[in-house]
Each structure stands twice: as structure tokens, then as C-alpha cells.
Amino acid sequence: MNWAEIGTYFAAICLFVGAFFALVGTFGLIKLNDSMTRLHAPTKVGTMGIGMILLASMVYSFVQGQGSLHELLIMAFLFVTAPISANFISKVNIHRRSCDTPPELAKTEEWSTLVQREEDAGAHPEQTLSKG
């Protein structure tokens, strides 16, 4: 067994793992109840599933002698943007009150996403939260 065969088998394993994560993420996106629990499915697919598929592409291109590092840039972009977009989507759900609000904290602590200062309340009335 030479290095080309080992690389091909490794790429195939990476493809199967990536496809498995994509399948589980799709199933979770369809079957989970509300938007906050549904949020976990695409973020896992974006990081692990697509990451493994891109790793398989990179390994296979090196095995074929046409090395490519473009996949590393794509992976870096996905690994940076997936958590940020998930954070913003969850904050929107909290502000729209379309999910359970976080539990009450002690009077000295605050949830940073739900803080509304007095000086901000009068500045832009169209941006205040509606309860409904």
C-alpha cells in the first residue's frame, strides 16, 4: 500500500464523516421544535460537515499531485463566521421574544443582550422592544 492509496482512503473517510454530519444536521433542522434548538444543526454542519468535506478535497488534490490550499481559506472563513452568525441569530430570537427568555439573574448582574439603558430608551423609540 503506497501513500496515494492511503490518502485516497483518508479522503473517502473524510467524505463519509462530512456527509454524516450534513445528514444529521439536516435531520436536526427539520425535526427540532423551536428556532433556538434548531440553531445548533446548521452550525454543526457548517463547521464539522463542510470542514471534513473540504479536508477530503484538499487531501485528494494533494494525492493527485495538484495541491490546493484554497480549502484552508474556505475552512477558516467558515470557522470564523459560523459562531458569529449563530450568536446574532440567537440574539434576534431573544429580542423578538420568540423563544424562552433567559432566567432571572441577581440584581447585580445583567444579561448583556437584554440591557436597555435609560439614555438609549428615549433616543430611538422605534428601536425599543415591543412586548407581544
Side-chain angles (χ1 to χ4, degrees):
M1 185 176 279
N2 58 14
W3 287 107
E5 290 178 7
I6 293 171
T8 303
Y9 289 134
F10 182 72
I13 291 170
C14 289
L15 279 175
F16 282 122
V17 170
F20 173 74
F21 273 97
L23 180 68
V24 169
T26 304
F27 184 72
L29 191 61
I30 293 170
K31 295 301 273 182
L32 293 174
N33 296 333
D34 63 342
S35 59
M36 290 296 272
T37 56
R38 199 176 292 144
L39 179 65
H40 294 288
T43 56
K44 299 304 179 239
V45 170
T47 54
M48 288 299 295
I50 304 297
M52 291 301 284
I53 290 171
L54 289 171
L55 181 65
S57 172
M58 191 170 63
V59 167
Y60 189 72
S61 68
F62 276 107
V63 165
Q64 295 298 318
Q66 305 167 359
S68 173
L69 296 178
H70 294 105
E71 290 88 352
L72 285 178
L73 293 173
I74 298 169
M75 278 195 271
F77 180 74
L78 284 173
F79 290 167
V80 168
T81 58
I84 294 170
S85 62
N87 184 21
F88 281 125
I89 291 170
S90 64
K91 282 187 176 188
V92 165
N93 284 320
I94 290 172
H95 283 287
R96 292 182 64 199
R97 308 246 191 262
S98 62
C99 64
D100 293 335
T101 55
E104 295 296 324
L105 294 174
K107 294 185 188 253
T108 58
E109 298 178 3
E110 297 175 326
W111 291 102
S112 64
T113 190
L114 296 176
V115 173
Q116 185 174 3
R117 297 175 287 188
E118 290 85 24
E119 61 267 15
D120 291 341
H124 302 287
E126 67 275 358
Q127 293 179 352
T128 58
L129 297 175
S130 64
K131 295 187 179 191

